[in-house]
Amino acid sequence: MKRLISLTISLLILAVIYWKIDFPRLVQVFQNCDRLWMVVSLGMVVPLVAITSWRLQQLAPASSGLDFPEANRLILASSVLNMVLPSKMGDIAKAYFMRDRGHLSGSLALSLVVFEKACDLLSLLLWCVFGLLLYPAKDALFWAMTTGVTGGLIVGLLLLSSPRFARVCFGLASRFAPKKIKIKLDKLRFSWGEMHDYFWGDRRRLVTVTLTSIFLWFCHLLQIWFFILALNAWTPFLTNLALSPLAILAGLMPLTFAGVGTRDAALILFYQPYFGEATGAALGLLCTARYLLPAIAGLPFLERYLSTLRTQNR
């Protein structure tokens, strides 16, 4: 029922978007696109998945036996689940797959994935803060977003670097959370502590994963800028560093199906000073393709992992 509601919300938002814009103009935007840039921008999905897979391999201890091909299959399989689960929670499924494939214990696998998601979010916030600080036309809304994103980045860094701060935050959240969420928070608090001990115990791994995450998200935002060039539009690259993360964050809200709708509306709104609504809607479709292409490639691997789980649970 929750997925049906989120799908309905996505369809309603898209219906409003396409009702307001000139749909033939949207078709014309794609017809007049720069085909070379379109191939280059969509083709970036391949190295982005490869870098993400390599990072996952670096996250795991050497004793886990997690090689690059297996890490790549895990990334692609989780991409399928990210299309149907809110806030990219399909990434959490990698922990269960790694546990059941015998690579890691359940708690360490969850700790690894939690750290991976934390690095992704903080890297995205870092580039967003960098872009927002350099964004030339900040009004009250953008100053509020700059303050909010900067605050989120600071809190996230404190959660990763300070076990005491993390315990206080989890304690406060657990105190006011409903019973079902409280149980999940308690599990996450345990995994968070194990994650901190594991990663801060190896500073070399920590630096490698951190720098890789920052570079990875730079490439993600570069791909979106390439999409804009492919649509024969223009936005300064530093401006894109501010605007595209905001749209991605809007898509992470657990309101719509895989962020479809909220991300599209955010792209149209934020990029309005630089190109029209039809181009913004086209950019939204291309950003959805960023998630759809790995999901399509991951369908055979997801079936393999799910078959293994069903066999083990009989």
Side-chain angles (χ1 to χ4, degrees), residues 100-314:
D100 291 317
R101 301 283 286 190
H103 294 297
L104 298 168
S105 66
S107 60
L108 182 57
L110 181 58
S111 301
L112 185 151
V113 173
V114 168
F115 184 78
E116 181 188 37
K117 286 181 65 67
C119 283
D120 278 334
L121 180 59
L122 292 179
S123 298
L124 178 63
L125 292 177
L126 177 66
W127 285 115
C128 187
V129 169
F130 178 77
L132 284 171
L133 290 176
L134 298 178
Y135 189 71
K138 283 193 287 289
D139 53 14
L141 175 62
F142 269 88
W143 275 115
M145 288 189 292
T146 302
T147 303
V149 172
T150 304
L153 177 62
I154 293 172
V155 170
L157 291 173
L158 287 173
L159 283 170
L160 278 183
S161 60
S162 172
R164 183 177 180 181
F165 182 81
R167 286 194 297 269
V168 171
C169 289
F170 279 115
L172 289 174
S174 181
R175 180 179 301 177
F176 298 103
K179 186 176 181 180
K180 290 183 178 180
I181 298 179
K182 183 178 180 180
I183 295 175
K184 295 180 180 179
L185 282 173
D186 290 338
K187 293 181 179 179
L188 180 59
R189 175 167 53 184
F190 176 79
S191 296
W192 196 273
E194 187 173 3
M195 172 204 71
H196 189 277
D197 295 338
Y198 173 70
F199 287 104
W200 283 94
D202 188 340
R203 298 298 177 90
R204 182 177 180 181
R205 177 190 288 117
L206 180 66
V207 171
T208 298
V209 173
T210 300
L211 294 179
T212 302
S213 299
I214 294 172
F215 174 71
L216 176 63
W217 273 97
F218 174 82
C219 292
H220 278 298
L221 303 180
L222 180 65
Q223 182 189 32
I224 296 176
W225 190 60
F226 284 172
F227 284 153
I228 295 173
L229 299 182
L231 296 173
N232 283 317
W234 173 254
T235 301
F237 181 66
L238 291 178
T239 299
N240 180 71
L241 289 180
L243 301 182
S244 54
L246 293 175
I248 293 174
L249 290 172
L252 291 178
M253 293 189 296
L255 300 175
T256 55
F257 183 82
V260 175
T262 50
R263 183 172 53 245
D264 300 71
L267 287 167
I268 293 173
L269 174 65
F270 294 140
Y271 284 92
Q272 196 171 22
Y274 299 96
F275 43 75
E277 293 180 346
T279 303
L283 180 59
L285 291 174
L286 290 176
C287 286
T288 299
R290 297 177 64 246
Y291 305 102
L292 183 61
L293 292 177
I296 293 173
L299 283 172
F301 305 121
L302 178 65
E303 177 60 28
R304 181 190 305 178
Y305 289 122
L306 292 179
S307 298
T308 302
L309 289 177
R310 285 194 292 265
T311 301
Q312 293 177 348
N313 291 328
R314 285 176 183 173

